Amino acid sequence: MAEPAALADTVAALALVDHHAHPVLGGNLSRTVFEELITESDRAAPAGTTWFDSQLGIALQRWCAPVLGLLPNAGPDEYLARRAELGPAEVIRLFLRASGTACFLVDTGYVLDGMLALEPMAEAAGAEVSEIVRLERVAEQAVLAGDATAAGFAETFRAALWDQAAGACGVKSIIGYRFGLDFDPAPPPAAEVTAAAGRWLGEIDQGSSIRITDPVLLRHLLWAGVERGLPVQVHTGFGDPDADLRRCNPLFLRAFLERSEPSGVPIMLLHCYPYHREAGALAQAYSHVYLDVGLALNHVGARASAVVAESLELAPFGKVLFSSDAFGPAELHYLGALQWRRATAATLGAWVDSGDWSAADAARVAAMIGAGNARRVYRLP
Ligand SMILES: [Zn+2]
C-alpha cells in the first residue's frame, strides 16, 4: 500500500539545489513594479486587468501570504501592504529560508539596481550561493573595459572568461535570446571572429548599444564556454518577448549537441517549456544533455504537476534538475521550490498509487532531481 503522505513529507524536507536562479531584489516594490516582475511580458497589464489574475498571481496570493503571516488568498493590496510593513530585508529572509533551498546557482548576467550581491543573498538565505557566469556579459564587459581590438577580441574574451569563471560553477549562453537556437553549429573560424568583432566594435563607436547580437560572435562565445569545461547552461523555450519563442525550440540544437558531445561538457537546457518533451528526447539521446522546467512551474501554477509529469516522460531521471528561475522578488525563489515539491510529490505519488512505481524509487528520484543531479553535474560539495 502506497503512502503518499510519507512521500510528500520526504519531498517537502529535501534540501534543494536551485541550479538556475537570478539575484533577489531588495528595496520596497510598488504595485506597478511588483506586477512587472510577476510576468514575463515587458508590457503593462492592459487597462482594467492585473497580472495578479494569472496562475502565478493566484498561486502567490495562496502560498506566499501565509509566509508573511496573512491568511491564504490575501488580495493583492493586503498582500503588498503586509510586504511593505515587514520591509524588504525581512521579506527576503522569510522567503529564501522558507524555500528550503540549500544552494542557489545564480546567473549574474543581468542585474537590476537594488539586487543583492551573492554574499548578502547567501546570508539572507542561510544557504550556499554559487555563480553562473554569462558568456555574453563577459564579452560585453571586456569591450566596455576598453582594451579590445578586432584582432585581439578572441584572446581578450578568453582571458576574461578564464578569469571570471575561476570561482564559478558554470557558464550560461543566451544565444537563444540574442539570435535563436537555429545557429550554424560549427565553431566559427578565427578570421570570421575577427571580422565580426571589427563590425561590432565599429558599431559601438558609432553609438550602438554594447549588446552582442552577431551570430558569429555568439557562436564563438558558446564554443569558448564549451572549451572552458564547466557545465554550459543554454536558454531554451519560454522567456520574455525579447526571445522569438519559435526559434527557442531546443530541437534546433541537434547538430551543436552532436558536435559538443565528445567534449563531455554538460549542456544544461534551461526552462524548455513548452518544448520540455522535445528536451526530454534530447536528454535521452545525448549523454551530455540535461534539462529543467524551472520557469514554467512558477508561471503555470496549479498546472505545475502536468508539466513535471511531461518532463519525466522521456528524459532519464539522472538528467532532470530542479530550478526556480526566480528573478527579483524573493516570493519567486520560494514559490518555485514549493511548486516543484508539490508537483513532484503529486506526480510521483500518483505513480506509486497506481502500482507503477515503488515508494522507494519515488523518494530516490525526487532526491536526484531536487539536489543530487545538480551536485554531481556541477561538482558541488
Ligand atoms: Zn533565467
Side-chain angles (χ1 to χ4, degrees):
M1 187 61 201
E3 293 174 75
L7 178 63
D9 290 346
T10 303
V11 176
L14 286 173
L16 299 178
V17 175
D18 187 343
H19 95 111
H20 174 54
H22 298 266
V24 71
L25 184 60
N28 278 312
L29 306 178
S30 69
R31 174 149 182 179
T32 306
V33 170
F34 193 86
E35 289 212 23
E36 284 168 0
L37 290 164
I38 60 170
T39 171
E40 284 293 307
S41 176
D42 52 6
R43 274 70 165 168
T49 75
T50 162
W51 289 118
F52 276 100
D53 282 338
S54 64
Q55 285 284 6
L56 174 51
I58 298 283
L60 199 137
Q61 295 168 75
R62 164 64 183 89
W63 299 108
C64 294
V67 177
L68 301 188
L70 299 171
L71 291 172
N73 311 307
D77 290 334
E78 186 191 3
Y79 181 82
L80 292 172
R82 176 66 178 156
R83 200 180 195 283
E85 183 188 0
L86 288 169
E90 178 65 1
V91 167
I92 287 171
R93 198 186 67 82
L94 286 171
F95 281 119
L96 293 187
R97 289 177 186 243
S99 75
T101 303
C103 179
F104 293 92
L105 307 189
V106 173
D107 170 5
T108 51
Y110 179 53
V111 177
L112 301 178
D113 278 350
M115 278 184 158
L116 269 59
L118 299 187
E119 221 167 279
M121 182 169 164
E123 260 166 49
E128 301 282 320
V129 174
S130 268
E131 186 177 17
I132 302 289
V133 171
R134 198 183 283 197
L135 298 165
E136 291 79 7
R137 184 171 163 89
V138 172
E140 288 161 359
Q141 286 194 319
V143 165
L144 278 176
D147 37 0
T149 60
F153 168 74
E155 190 43 49
T156 302
F157 168 68
R158 184 188 162 89
L161 176 60
W162 259 246
D163 179 48
Q164 288 183 44
C169 60
V171 302
K172 179 182 176 190
S173 162
I174 55 165
I175 192 168
Y177 261 96
R178 296 290 178 85
F179 179 74
L181 299 179
D182 48 346
F183 56 86
D184 177 345
E192 279 183 37
V193 175
T194 300
R199 289 194 299 273
W200 180 40
L201 294 171
E203 286 161 13
I204 296 166
D205 282 345
Q206 300 296 314
S208 288
S209 126
I210 190 86
R211 208 178 128 90
I212 296 190
T213 55
D214 184 300
V216 172
L217 294 177
L218 293 167
R219 282 161 54 211
H220 174 72
L221 271 45
L222 176 62
W223 277 108
V226 172
E227 193 194 340
R228 180 62 183 75
L230 296 170
V232 177
Q233 299 185 343
V234 181
H235 170 90
T236 74
F238 178 56
D240 66 54
D242 207 20
D244 181 347
L245 182 54
R246 191 178 51 118
R247 293 174 65 193
C248 288
N249 187 330
L251 291 182
F252 283 122
L253 292 171
R254 177 171 179 257
F256 167 72
L257 295 176
E258 295 200 333
R259 281 174 180 262
S260 59
E261 190 172 25
S263 72
V265 170
I267 305 295
M268 318 302 290
L269 305 178
L270 301 179
H271 322 124
C272 299
Y273 181 88
Y275 306 118
H276 47 292
R277 286 173 147 157
E278 286 86 338
L282 295 171
Q284 183 179 101
Y286 299 108
S287 58
H288 64 324
V289 174
Y290 299 77
L291 72 127
D292 75 49
V293 286
L295 182 61
L297 298 192
N298 263 337
H299 284 271
V300 306
R303 288 282 292 159
S305 54
V307 175
V308 163
E310 288 172 357
S311 74
L312 298 177
E313 288 171 347
L314 287 184
F317 307 130
K319 310 295 263 326
V320 182
L321 285 78
F322 157 69
S323 87
S324 67
D325 195 23
F327 179 95
E331 280 88 342
L332 301 180
H333 299 77
Y334 166 70
L335 203 54
L338 180 86
Q339 295 290 32
W340 179 83
R341 292 182 201 275
R342 296 183 65 247
T344 299
T347 300
L348 301 184
W351 296 342
V352 172
D353 284 349
S354 65
D356 288 291
W357 279 45
S358 73
D361 279 337
R364 193 171 55 80
V365 167
M368 286 163 58
I369 298 172
N373 291 336
R375 290 199 178 275
R376 183 182 74 252
V377 176
Y378 292 97
R379 300 175 194 268
L380 303 173

